[in-house]
Amino acid sequence: MTHSFEKQIERRNTRAVKWDLVKSLYGAEDVLPMWVADMDFEVPEEVIKALTARAKHGVFGYTFTDHALASTITEWLNDRHDWQVKKPSILYSPGVITTLYMAIQTFTNKGDKVLIQTPVYPPFYQIVTNHDRELVKNQLVLRHDRYEIDFDDFEAKLQEGVKAFILCNPHNPVGRVWTETELRKIVALCKKYNVMILSDEIHADLVYSNNKHIPIAKLDEEMADKIITCMSPTKTFNLAGLQVSYAIVPNRSKREALEKTFQKQGIHILNTMGITALDAAYQHGREWLEQLLAQLTRNIDYVVEAFAEHPRVDVIRPEGTYLVWLDFRKLQLSQADLKDFLQTHAKVGLNDGASFGEEGTGFMRMNVACPFTLVEEGTNRIIKALG
């Protein structure tokens, strides 16, 4: 079946964060939103059918997760990532960030050092600071339009007594898909200094040619007991509003401890529609996903090629995710002026690079998970304003 990703679906007046908050965030209705990380694409037809059938049932009582759902997940992980996961190691959650919050509460104490790699997804900062943990940063290094890990600094920070490291792979916002060599270095160093790894791998399925997502927990069987991997179909299949995710926690005692923290917070059941969508997407969404990746590649290619003609903006081409990290530093604008230029003159709403940390100053994040015509329009608005 051929899926169309050129259909423009009207999302206004659906309480869509991306579209219905444009005026309050950017000051005008005519700003094109290319910010928050959801897609403007319709989900796979099989998911719509499954949700429709469930809705027509008409009863929405308590729902549980079962062996069949766990099998669907393990088959997906084996097929997509060559990762053999045992069903009992799966722990369900409303979202990846929720799981990370619970993990920090469970496995660290107030005052403990927690390491993140910046610039990074803004909630990573809050996960640490909202729990009165000490934030430690390992700044990523930009070399030749590609970010790398400063492993000397990484080890130096671990030596300071870091208790947990929050990994983002694929990385949001810089788009890196960490290689096996890089991941093995991370594992070896965390093992050496007895540091737990909390790995956000929500974009694992959104990886482009010549790159391969490798779940960090599969690289070292001994270290796997100190790794919690957070995954979800929500980014892959545009299901974020249904709030469904899962964590892979191989170590039984850690899994039970984490589950106990969830229960303390009153989180013990998943959204009925989220369960339905996860099951349908993983069972029937493979062909749709391959076509999606082709569409996203086309969109990214266009952005890269269009800005190549305008050397004042550098594009950090993503190896994964549908988020493009744009470097505007050559314009020599303050961050406030850069934001004003984009939303007032270009009429495009992007994510403020500084919200990902001070290392994001001079940058903006563009979401290209939308029909090509919108990618073309947004890119050309910026280019025209530059002129």
Side-chain angles (χ1 to χ4, degrees):
M1 177 186 292
T2 300
H3 305 272
S4 174
F5 295 98
E6 291 304 328
K7 179 181 177 182
Q8 292 194 29
I9 300 170
E10 180 56 71
R11 297 185 63 191
R12 295 181 181 88
N13 301 314
T14 63
R15 297 190 176 93
V17 168
K18 185 176 182 180
W19 288 87
D20 287 329
L21 295 183
V22 166
K23 186 174 182 179
S24 63
L25 292 172
Y26 297 104
E29 294 283 4
D30 59 348
V31 172
L32 180 63
M34 302 184 77
W35 63 294
V36 68
D38 68 14
M39 297 191 274
D40 289 323
F41 300 134
E42 196 170 64
V43 303
E45 181 65 26
E46 294 84 354
V47 175
I48 296 174
K49 288 179 180 178
L51 290 171
T52 300
R54 189 66 184 83
K56 285 182 176 179
H57 180 262
V59 179
F60 307 102
Y62 296 116
T63 311
F64 67 94
T65 54
D66 58 9
H67 182 81
L69 186 67
S71 293
T72 297
I73 292 172
T74 56
E75 288 169 12
W76 179 266
L77 296 177
N78 185 43
D79 179 54
R80 299 296 300 186
H81 306 296
D82 191 28
W83 189 21
Q84 290 74 50
V85 170
K86 295 179 180 178
K87 296 180 185 67
S89 68
I90 299 172
L91 180 65
Y92 297 95
S93 166
V96 164
I97 295 302
T98 302
T99 303
L100 292 174
Y101 263 80
M102 298 299 106
I104 288 295
Q105 291 180 31
T106 306
F107 303 112
T108 67
N109 299 305
K110 286 186 178 182
D112 281 352
K113 291 180 169 64
V114 178
L115 180 68
I116 62 175
Q117 293 178 312
T118 58
V120 74
Y121 185 47
F124 277 32
Y125 295 87
Q126 297 148 16
I127 290 166
V128 180
T129 59
N130 285 355
H131 291 97
D132 299 316
R133 275 54 169 175
E134 182 179 339
L135 183 70
V136 181
K137 299 193 296 183
N138 169 229
Q139 183 176 339
L140 300 175
V141 180
L142 181 57
R143 292 192 180 97
H144 308 297
D145 295 330
R146 187 173 186 263
Y147 280 86
E148 298 176 359
I149 298 172
D150 181 344
F151 277 104
D152 289 337
D153 179 71
F154 185 81
E155 181 169 14
K157 297 295 172 57
L158 295 185
Q159 289 174 334
E160 295 175 1
V162 166
K163 296 297 182 183
F165 163 53
I166 308 177
L167 172 68
C168 193
N169 183 35
H171 193 281
N172 174 11
V174 308
R176 275 301 314 277
V177 175
W178 305 117
T179 65
E180 182 173 349
T181 299
E182 289 168 319
L183 292 171
R184 286 193 180 279
K185 285 184 180 179
I186 289 172
V187 169
L189 288 169
C190 288
K191 188 175 183 179
K192 179 179 179 180
Y193 295 102
N194 195 30
V195 175
M196 189 172 191
I197 299 174
L198 309 176
S199 187
D200 174 356
E201 302 187 14
I202 196 170
H203 290 99
D205 302 312
L206 300 170
V207 171
Y208 306 109
S209 59
N210 301 320
N211 299 284
K212 179 177 174 57
H213 176 76
I214 301 172
I216 193 168
K218 67 179 277 189
L219 295 179
D220 187 317
E221 187 173 342
E222 182 180 339
M223 185 62 183
D225 277 351
K226 291 185 68 65
I227 299 175
I228 293 176
T229 306
C230 303
M231 307 184 89
S232 172
T234 55
K235 295 300 180 191
T236 308
F237 295 104
N238 204 26
L239 305 171
L242 295 179
Q243 298 184 317
V244 58
S245 78
Y246 55 91
I248 307 301
V249 192
N251 182 278
R252 180 177 177 178
S253 63
K254 284 186 171 60
R255 188 168 63 252
E256 290 175 349
L258 185 57
E259 191 169 19
K260 186 175 181 181
T261 302
F262 270 94
Q263 292 170 351
K264 282 182 179 179
Q265 300 296 331
I267 303 171
H268 60 277
I269 190 168
L270 281 186
N271 181 314
T272 298
M273 290 305 196
I275 293 173
T276 302
L278 184 159
D279 195 30
Y282 275 1
Q283 286 199 51
H284 306 292
R286 287 168 173 77
E287 183 181 20
W288 182 93
L289 176 56
E290 293 309 316
Q291 293 180 36
L292 168 71
L293 290 171
Q295 179 67 49
L296 293 175
T297 299
R298 180 192 180 199
N299 291 356
I300 292 167
D301 285 345
Y302 180 80
V303 173
V304 172
E305 292 165 9
F307 280 114
E309 302 297 320
H310 298 270
R312 287 186 292 170
V313 180
D314 293 323
V315 179
I316 312 303
R317 185 185 184 97
E319 298 169 349
T321 83
Y322 47 71
L323 308 165
V324 180
W325 193 232
L326 299 175
D327 185 351
F328 290 93
R329 289 176 298 174
K330 291 177 183 176
L331 298 181
Q332 297 184 327
L333 296 174
S334 69
Q335 196 68 12
D337 287 342
L338 176 58
K339 289 166 60 179
D340 181 68
F341 165 75
L342 289 167
Q343 68 188 52
T344 304
H345 299 283
K347 293 291 183 178
V348 177
L350 306 182
N351 283 100
D352 179 6
S355 69
F356 298 88
E358 60 183 354
E359 300 85 355
T361 302
F363 293 81
M364 288 283 174
R365 191 188 75 172
M366 172 188 277
N367 176 356
V368 298
C370 54
F372 177 77
T373 51
L374 294 183
V375 174
E376 187 177 38
E377 172 69 18
T379 302
N380 288 330
R381 284 189 186 191
I382 296 172
I383 290 173
K384 183 178 179 181
L386 286 169

